[in-house]
Amino acid sequence: MYRPSPVPLDTVLPGHDRRRAWSHPELASHRLLALTFDRLYLAPLTNTPDPAAAAAVENGADLDRALGPLPVVIDLIAVRRLRLDLTTNTVAVEYVGTGLGVSRQAVTFSAPEAADACFARVWRRLGDGYELAPYRRAAWSAARAPLLLLLAALLATAVTALVLSVFEDMAEARSASRVGAPGLGELGVRTNLPQSPLEMLLGWLDWRAVCAAGGAVAAASQVWLYRRLTAPPTSLEVVRK
């Protein structure tokens, strides 16, 4: 009786077994990075960089010869976390290494396009068992400086305006009063009360101008706060489900 031959379980989908590679100078931290269907290879930046090595690997060149001695080999099935730092163009791979310990490799690219492409390729090779983690911004860390500036501007404006208002009241009272010299009675010499050192230092200011300047600084700090809280993410992270 005819029995159909079993379908092999390790069949690779068409187009998914193609190698991907990046080499120096596009790759800044390593000499060569090679991505296969199930592994990631990293060659340290020790030997003379070969810009044509990436194309040779993608066209089927021998990996042992292209990578040289002591390459780092990461099984994709052992990857726990994949992170892309958008500010430094760095792809960090966290994986279970030898002895079941957690290891980490960071790969830095010279251009954001190359870092994005590597991150997307590795994520695709990891498969459906991984998902993009929601981006969590440290709200207090982002808002601390603008909030401190806002509070300082409001406090300084309120205190300065209050002091200037008191100075104005004192000036009006001084102009309306007279101090008679002792022993001269109603015909005594009239003199103005002397100004305090603080009044001499700040008396030239107007509380209305101080309030306007404080309001401008407060408005600028609020714009800064809004931009810090609505800034785009600085990193993307893929984790195992």
Side-chain angles (χ1 to χ4, degrees), residues 88-221:
T88 61
N89 302 324
T90 299
V91 177
V93 184
E94 182 181 301
Y95 60 100
V96 178
T98 57
L100 299 181
V102 178
S103 301
R104 186 176 182 273
Q105 288 289 330
V107 184
T108 302
F109 293 83
S110 57
E113 295 80 8
D116 296 346
C118 178
F119 178 78
R121 296 289 184 185
V122 176
W123 182 9
R124 184 181 303 174
R125 295 289 171 91
L126 290 176
D128 297 334
Y130 297 79
E131 62 182 358
L132 186 66
Y135 179 71
R136 296 181 179 88
R137 182 186 302 277
W140 169 241
S141 178
R144 178 171 50 192
L147 283 179
L148 291 178
L149 177 61
L150 176 60
L151 293 177
L154 294 177
L155 181 60
T157 301
V159 172
T160 306
L162 178 61
V163 171
L164 294 178
S165 178
V166 172
F167 287 168
E168 285 191 0
D169 295 340
M170 293 175 60
E172 292 178 359
R174 185 184 301 110
S175 62
S177 65
R178 296 292 185 271
V179 177
L184 294 180
E186 294 180 359
L187 300 178
V189 180
R190 296 178 175 178
T191 58
N192 293 331
L193 290 173
Q195 292 183 338
S196 64
L198 183 60
E199 189 176 2
M200 295 176 62
L201 180 63
L202 301 178
W204 61 275
L205 291 174
D206 183 81
W207 67 270
R208 301 173 186 83
V210 170
C211 290
V217 174
S221 64

Side-chain angles (χ1 to χ4, degrees), residues 40-87:
L40 179 68
Y41 299 84
L42 292 172
L45 191 59
T46 54
N47 301 331
T48 303
D50 183 7
V57 169
E58 290 184 352
N59 291 327
D62 182 68
L63 283 177
D64 292 335
R65 180 177 300 179
L67 294 169
L70 302 178
V72 176
V73 181
I74 303 174
D75 292 323
L76 296 183
I77 195 173
V79 174
R80 296 177 49 182
R81 189 183 306 269
L82 182 68
R83 186 175 185 271
L84 170 62
D85 192 324
L86 299 173
T87 59

